Amino acid sequence: MALPYTVDTHRPTQIGLVTLQSDETIERDFRMLLPSDVELLVSRVPSSATVSLDSLHAMEDSLTASARLLPVGADLAAVGYGCTSASAAIGAARVASLIKAGVSTPHVSDPLTSLIAACHAGGITKIGLVSPYVASVSDRLIQGLDAAGIAVSSFGSFDEPLEERVVRISRGSIRDAAIHVGRNGTCDAVFMSCTNLRALEVIDEIEAELGVPALSSNQVLAWHLGRLAGFSGRCTAIGRVFGFD
């Protein structure tokens, strides 16, 4: 016997996220930041346990297939790609093209694109940068920022190539590193790079100590997707970036 049913015509705002196989942080951070009525739909892309330029470029071959695994019936207002360093290595335009080849959405963003948008919105031209990664990976990110007119005036890295160790870097270490980098040069903001770095909970402490915006990969990506999809004003406002609207 076929049972009757009705169709709910109300659609909540939905955003997609293509995150790394190795990432243990971004989904939790997004659920802390996004409004409760925004639905987060997640797919994963194969990624190496070791971060290098070669392993970052390797994701290019899988991005479209990973985007295709997002629900076909969803109405995605925007899709984010959750890797800061790969966005710099592959290029934001290429990332957006590959994701749009796999899923229908009007907007694609990534942490590097989101950071640049946040800097432009906040009048930020010089940042202090905290990276967990080896020099070659960090250098590519710095080049991408420089091309967008954003100078890295102070820099520090944990120099850790293994994702399973990056995610275990303590919040206290991240806070202390950001404060050190922020004090070590004249900067308009500090940025903690990497979606797997557990930086979100120490943003308020860093801002209180330095008196400038503290930005993280997951925070700026959530903010930018919110701007693109029209809900950034309803996000949980962790950090000054949410006042840039």
Side-chain angles (χ1 to χ4, degrees):
M1 174 183 177
L3 298 173
Y5 66 90
T6 60
V7 175
D8 188 352
T9 57
H10 170 71
R11 276 183 175 265
T13 299
Q14 297 176 310
I15 63 166
L17 178 65
V18 178
T19 188
L20 274 57
Q21 178 184 356
S22 57
D23 198 309
E24 301 178 42
T25 303
I26 192 170
E27 291 168 89
R28 185 210 58 158
D29 282 3
F30 265 42
R31 290 189 171 99
M32 291 173 65
L33 290 163
L34 299 184
S36 59
D37 61 340
V38 172
E39 291 186 353
L40 176 66
L41 304 173
V42 181
S43 179
R44 288 191 177 254
V45 60
S47 61
S48 173
T50 302
V51 178
S52 66
L53 287 177
D54 286 343
S55 70
L56 294 171
H57 276 291
M59 277 187 277
E60 189 172 358
D61 296 334
S62 303
L63 274 176
T64 298
S66 294
R68 286 198 184 107
L69 294 176
L70 288 163
V72 174
D75 183 15
L76 297 172
V79 174
Y81 170 49
C83 188
T84 317
S85 299
S87 300
I90 298 170
R94 177 66 173 157
V95 166
S97 175
L98 290 167
I99 287 178
K100 284 189 173 186
V103 67
S104 177
T105 184
H107 303 291
V108 175
S109 190
D110 60 78
L112 177 56
T113 298
S114 300
L115 173 61
I116 292 167
C119 287
H120 290 166
I124 294 164
T125 59
K126 294 179 294 184
I127 65 168
L129 173 62
V130 176
S131 169
Y133 296 130
V134 296
S136 58
V137 173
S138 301
D139 288 347
R140 186 62 62 89
L141 176 59
I142 292 170
Q143 291 166 14
L145 290 168
D146 185 66
I150 301 162
V152 175
S153 58
S154 179
F155 172 75
S157 176
F158 296 117
D159 200 30
E160 177 53 66
L162 297 177
E163 285 281 20
E164 66 185 64
R165 292 184 61 83
V166 168
V167 71
R168 305 289 171 241
I169 296 172
S170 72
R171 291 163 180 81
S173 297
I174 297 165
R175 178 197 61 227
D176 293 348
I179 290 171
H180 172 77
V181 165
R183 286 177 174 162
N184 201 39
T186 303
C187 58
D188 305 319
V190 292
F191 175 62
M192 294 159 283
S193 180
C194 180
T195 60
N196 214 7
L197 200 63
R198 302 205 164 190
L200 190 65
E201 291 96 333
V202 294
I203 282 174
D204 288 340
E205 293 179 55
I206 296 164
E207 291 189 338
E209 187 70 27
L210 294 177
V212 298
L215 309 170
S216 75
S217 291
N218 295 341
Q219 173 215 42
V220 294
L221 181 56
W223 168 83
H224 196 225
L225 291 171
R227 287 192 88 180
L228 295 171
F231 62 79
S232 62
R234 296 187 290 112
C235 287
T236 301
I238 299 177
R240 298 186 186 187
V241 68
F242 289 97
F244 289 177
D245 286 347

